[in-house]
């Protein structure tokens, strides 16, 4: 369990930036002409959202470009960066990832001090949505990416297979920018009021 030592308002999450990945634009109907335009917009959105002293958890699939270019891109991005690996990170050398990220994990459990509610919030971070996770029944959240959630009918069905305490922090689902801890909290609180989300694994 990693105890996050940043104030909650300084903590952000993102997934599936896919910097430099032209194929992803067509595949997911991203609103960009080419990867140069996409990269510039993602960089601008990130730096408008994340302060220089922020902390960003990146839940995988950072890009599909050269070793040098991915370092160049991340050097422009505000905040300390921690990686939870996705299924595309294997194209990068270990030394490349270590040049970008302060810490690297396959799966990560964190706890954040929520000053609004004066409590500790446990969160499980994984590139993939999970069927179940530790401390779910004690209010733990599970944040993920990979699915590229967007406005398609298929995703209305998908949401009924997820718990209210789960959320896709991928860029398509969050206006192509990182999402803050308190924004995630607000979304999950609303989801918990929506009975269309899965209530149990046992019925």
């Amino acid at each position: 369990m990693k105890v996050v030592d940043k104030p909650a308002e300084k903590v952000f999450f993102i997934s599936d930036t896919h910097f430099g990945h032209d194929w992803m634009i067509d595949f997911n109907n991203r609103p960009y002409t080419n990867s140069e335009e996409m990269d510039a917009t993602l960089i601008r959105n990130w730096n408008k959202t994340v302060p220089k002293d922020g902390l960003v958890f990146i839940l995988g699939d950072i890009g599909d470009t050269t070793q040098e270019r991915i370092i160049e891109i991340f050097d422009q991005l505000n905040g300390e960066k921690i990686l939870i690996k996705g299924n595309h990170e294997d194209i990068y050398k270990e030394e490349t990832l270590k040049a970008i990220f302060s810490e690297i994990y396959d799966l990560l459990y964190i706890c954040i001090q929520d000053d609004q509610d004066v409590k500790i919030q446990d969160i499980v971070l994984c590139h993939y949505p999970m069927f179940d996770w530790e401390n779910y029944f004690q209010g733990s959240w599970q944040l993920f990416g990979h699915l590229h959630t967007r406005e398609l009918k298929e995703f209305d069905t998908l949401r009924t297979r997820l718990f209210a305490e789960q959320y896709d922090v991928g860029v398509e689902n969050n206006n192509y920018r990182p999402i803050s801890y308190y924004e995630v909290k607000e979304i999950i609180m609303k989801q918990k009021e929506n009975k269309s989300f899965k209530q149990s694994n046992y019925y």
Side-chain angles (χ1 to χ4, degrees):
M1 176 73 74
K2 177 181 177 61
V3 178
V4 175
D5 58 4
K6 290 273 188 182
E9 65 267 19
K10 302 280 189 179
V11 179
F12 300 81
F13 307 91
I14 195 170
S15 184
D16 298 277
T17 48
H18 286 273
F19 286 112
H21 201 170
D22 284 295
W23 177 82
M24 188 58 61
I25 296 172
D26 290 335
F27 181 71
N28 281 331
N29 197 29
R30 290 188 173 187
Y32 308 109
T33 304
N34 52 50
S35 61
E36 288 79 12
E37 179 189 354
M38 177 177 72
D39 293 354
T41 303
L42 290 174
I43 292 167
R44 184 169 59 252
N45 290 351
W46 181 305
N47 288 336
K48 283 183 178 178
T49 304
V50 178
K52 290 187 176 180
D53 62 344
L55 172 62
V56 187
F57 292 95
I58 299 96
L59 276 60
D61 289 7
I62 58 173
D64 189 355
T65 186
T66 66
Q67 311 289 322
E68 295 76 17
R69 176 60 178 154
I70 200 69
I71 292 173
E72 179 186 323
I73 288 171
F74 272 86
D75 280 348
Q76 299 176 60
L77 300 174
N78 287 347
E80 178 188 356
K81 305 160 194 81
I82 294 176
L83 175 66
I84 295 83
K85 288 182 180 179
N87 55 303
H88 284 269
E89 267 62 61
D90 59 359
I91 70 172
Y92 292 112
K93 298 175 182 177
E94 183 177 356
E95 54 263 38
T96 297
L97 296 178
K98 286 183 175 180
I100 296 171
F101 301 104
S102 60
E103 300 173 36
I104 300 170
Y105 302 90
D106 293 313
L107 175 74
L108 180 62
Y109 294 78
I110 66 173
C111 59
I112 294 177
Q113 174 65 49
D114 186 324
D115 293 327
Q116 289 182 349
D117 291 340
V118 194
K119 70 170 188 177
I120 300 294
Q121 179 62 55
D122 293 341
I123 308 176
V124 181
L125 304 177
C126 182
H127 180 63
Y128 309 97
M130 300 171 70
F131 185 69
D132 207 341
W133 61 94
E134 185 177 353
N135 293 332
Y136 160 65
F137 289 106
Q138 283 74 48
S140 175
W141 303 344
Q142 198 256 313
L143 305 184
F144 61 90
H146 188 64
L147 299 185
H148 297 269
T149 303
R150 49 202 187 277
E151 293 301 320
L152 293 176
K153 188 176 182 180
E154 296 91 322
F155 288 99
D156 292 335
T157 301
L158 173 67
R159 290 182 185 97
T160 67
R161 306 293 191 265
L162 298 173
F163 287 101
E165 291 82 2
Q166 291 180 279
Y167 187 68
D168 183 354
V169 298
V171 295
E172 285 93 353
N173 202 32
N174 299 287
N175 297 314
Y176 296 92
R177 63 174 182 82
I179 184 169
S180 72
Y181 166 82
Y182 283 119
E183 287 176 301
V184 172
K185 176 184 175 181
E186 182 178 357
I187 289 167
I188 287 178
M189 294 304 101
K190 288 179 180 178
Q191 288 183 170
K192 289 173 73 171
E193 298 173 359
N194 184 343
K195 298 305 179 185
S196 69
F197 282 89
K198 185 171 72 170
Q199 305 297 310
S200 170
N201 283 326
Y202 305 104
Y203 60 84

